[in-house]
Amino acid sequence: MLLIHCPYCEEERPEIEFRNAGEAHIARPSDIASISDADFEKFFFIRDNTKGLVYERWRHVHGCARFFNAVRDSVSDKFVMTYKAGEPKPKKLPGAGK
């Protein structure tokens, strides 16, 4: 079973308590009504989906119900770290030397 650390509850809980909410750190356009259809499509649908480390939003639906961000390795499915929503992308990752 995969355990995920909730940065608000401060504990690791089983993956069935959480839901993935997509890519993290997506900036919403300031005036979304004025952008082109192509730019709207890019903002709304197109995601990086890279192999390796990905930054994602998660929600602890069966716990505190809060959103948080996570760094996860998409190859091994292991979580490198989690951090509170609104915090910037970490510059250094624990154990990754980055």
Side-chain angles (χ1 to χ4, degrees):
M1 175 188 311
L2 183 63
L3 296 175
I4 301 173
H5 179 265
C6 176
Y8 295 102
C9 296
E10 292 293 332
E11 59 185 4
E12 291 190 350
R13 303 297 302 157
E15 64 184 298
I16 60 172
E17 290 192 13
F18 299 88
R19 295 294 178 272
N20 184 296
E23 189 176 336
H25 306 288
I26 302 295
R28 183 178 180 89
S30 58
D31 186 9
I32 201 162
S34 69
I35 65 175
S36 69
D37 289 345
D39 287 340
F40 180 79
E41 176 188 31
K42 185 177 178 183
F43 159 71
F44 201 73
F45 295 108
I46 308 302
R47 298 294 176 250
D48 288 341
N49 197 22
T50 58
K51 181 179 179 181
L53 295 180
V54 292
Y55 294 83
E56 301 172 319
R57 286 177 46 103
W58 284 79
R59 185 172 181 217
H60 193 180
V61 292
H62 296 293
C64 63
R66 297 182 79 174
F67 284 93
F68 61 93
N69 294 327
V71 182
R72 184 179 62 84
D73 186 331
S74 64
V75 176
S76 67
D77 203 27
K78 292 183 180 178
F79 282 74
V80 175
M81 69 177 294
T82 60
Y83 53 102
K84 295 178 179 179
E87 293 180 356
K89 278 186 181 181
K91 294 182 180 175
K92 291 190 177 187
L93 301 176
K98 293 182 180 182

